[in-house]
Amino acid sequence: MEIIALVILLAAATGAVVGILMIMLRGRDRAAPMPFGPYLAAAGWLAMMYGNSLVSGYLRLSGLQR
């Protein structure tokens, strides 16, 4: 179940960063739609490859796990 949350959070964070950079650097309109699928796919791949270590690292960083 943690992996699904990881995928959604990674995709949202990556999409937000890329969207902000596109607005700032390329002058893209804020109202223009942006596809979310590529970010979900990339986050799913990262979670598949490094999911357990990413979740463990986050939990250690937040102090929820030793």
Side-chain angles (χ1 to χ4, degrees), residues 3-12 14 36-52 54:
I3 300 299
I4 293 173
L6 175 67
V7 169
I8 293 171
L9 288 173
L10 279 176
T14 305
F36 193 57
Y39 303 109
L40 280 174
W45 181 79
L46 284 172
M48 183 176 62
M49 300 302 283
Y50 308 106
N52 291 332
L54 286 173

Side-chain angles (χ1 to χ4, degrees), residues 16-29 34 39:
V17 169
V18 170
I20 290 169
L21 287 174
M22 289 179 76
I23 290 169
M24 290 174 53
L25 299 177
R26 293 192 179 174
R28 184 179 174 139
D29 184 22
M34 194 166 104
Y39 303 109

Side-chain angles (χ1 to χ4, degrees), residues 50-66:
Y50 308 106
N52 291 332
S53 59
L54 286 173
V55 170
S56 296
Y58 173 75
L59 290 175
R60 271 185 268 123
L61 183 67
S62 66
L64 297 173
Q65 182 183 24
R66 291 182 183 228

